[in-house]
Amino acid sequence: MTIKIDKQITGYAVVKDEEDQNQGPQVAAEQGEADVVHVTPPDERPERLEGSTYKIKTPLSEHALYVTINDVVMHEGTAKEHRRPFEIFINSKNMEHFQWIVALTRVISGVFRKGGDVCFLVEELRSVFDPSGGYFKKGGRYMPSLVAELGEVLEMHLQRIGMIEKQETPEELKAKKAKAEESGALSNATQCGACGAMAMVRMDGCNLCLECGDSKCG
């Protein structure tokens, strides 16, 4: 007998006999849920988490910020074992920005626990510019805002646990900069959205900043 389907298919199941026909969609839904891997819900936080603490010292305040990112181990003891961020804390003696710091850490931690790809947070944070102007870090590197530096710390952490590929080393950037100067590509450089330097060039199919190493491909 031919059956016409005029609605969108949202699930399916193989029914072995007539007794299972009424349970087919429910079985399919349960099987689909079983295949989804969730990060531990907020109310089931592991008693012990491993993480790293990073120090941020800016000329905007005499007090440093200490950023702690804790990780949860997924698929522990299997070939798929890996770490992913679970929560973030920011501490400082400077209470001037306490409210937005607490709000930011709670939102970021919520995104971490929801699961999926969290790497987009790096770009979102690094693209924040302070309307009052940024600052120069020790060594002369420009940072558009404190939030942008938090994005840089998050990127550093994600690189350490293998969620983001590491960027070029200073030596590699120096070699590419020399190559760009030799070819004349540096004369057409645009401003980097991450560090603000006029050093964003097109190389090997990617936009690469020859100062900070920020890269976008495609």
Side-chain angles (χ1 to χ4, degrees):
M1 181 179 68
T2 302
I3 300 176
K4 181 180 179 181
I5 301 176
D6 54 5
K7 295 182 179 180
Q8 183 178 2
I9 298 176
T10 58
Y12 70 91
V14 178
V15 180
K16 296 181 179 179
D17 51 45
E18 294 181 358
E19 295 180 0
D20 295 332
Q21 287 182 1
N22 295 330
Q23 300 180 7
Q26 182 179 355
V27 172
E30 292 176 353
Q31 290 177 343
E33 291 179 359
D35 293 336
V36 178
V37 178
H38 297 279
V39 176
T40 307
D43 57 346
E44 296 182 12
R45 181 186 185 277
E47 293 185 2
R48 179 178 178 274
L49 293 172
E50 295 184 3
S52 302
T53 299
Y54 305 86
K55 180 181 178 180
I56 295 180
K57 186 68 177 72
T58 76
L60 304 179
S61 173
E62 61 178 327
H63 301 295
L65 272 74
Y66 296 90
V67 183
T68 300
I69 304 176
N70 292 327
D71 305 321
V72 62
V73 180
M74 305 294 293
H75 306 290
E76 188 171 5
T78 70
K80 295 182 179 180
E81 179 177 326
H82 65 279
R83 292 173 61 173
R84 60 173 296 122
F86 184 84
E87 60 191 8
I88 181 172
F89 299 100
I90 302 175
N91 295 305
S92 176
K93 291 182 179 180
N94 184 1
M95 301 296 290
E96 182 180 358
H97 304 297
F98 177 76
Q99 293 186 64
W100 72 259
I101 286 179
V102 171
L104 187 63
T105 56
R106 290 183 178 180
V107 170
I108 294 176
S109 296
V111 174
F112 286 166
R113 296 174 187 179
K114 188 174 180 62
D117 184 10
V118 299
C119 298
F120 74 94
L121 288 171
V122 172
E123 186 64 27
E124 293 296 329
L125 295 174
R126 291 183 60 178
S127 62
V128 175
F129 287 78
D130 188 341
S132 300
Y135 55 89
F136 287 92
K137 296 177 59 176
K138 185 177 181 180
R141 183 178 174 190
Y142 177 75
M143 193 59 58
S145 68
L146 178 57
V147 176
E149 187 157 5
L150 290 175
E152 187 173 84
V153 168
L154 177 58
E155 181 181 36
M156 186 188 310
H157 185 78
L158 295 180
Q159 288 176 348
R160 289 187 62 184
I161 63 177
M163 292 188 68
I164 293 181
E165 293 184 3
K166 292 186 177 181
Q167 296 181 340
E168 285 86 351
T169 64
E171 291 74 18
E172 292 172 334
L173 288 176
K174 186 176 181 180
K176 288 189 174 182
K177 188 173 183 179
K179 180 180 177 181
E181 290 176 343
E182 184 179 349
S183 64
L186 196 59
S187 60
N188 297 321
T190 58
Q191 186 175 21
C192 173
C195 69
M198 295 295 292
M200 183 69 75
V201 298
R202 189 74 175 175
M203 298 186 72
D204 302 325
C206 299
N207 291 328
L208 173 67
C209 177
L210 299 174
E211 289 295 331
C212 69
D214 183 62
S215 178
K216 294 180 182 178
C217 298

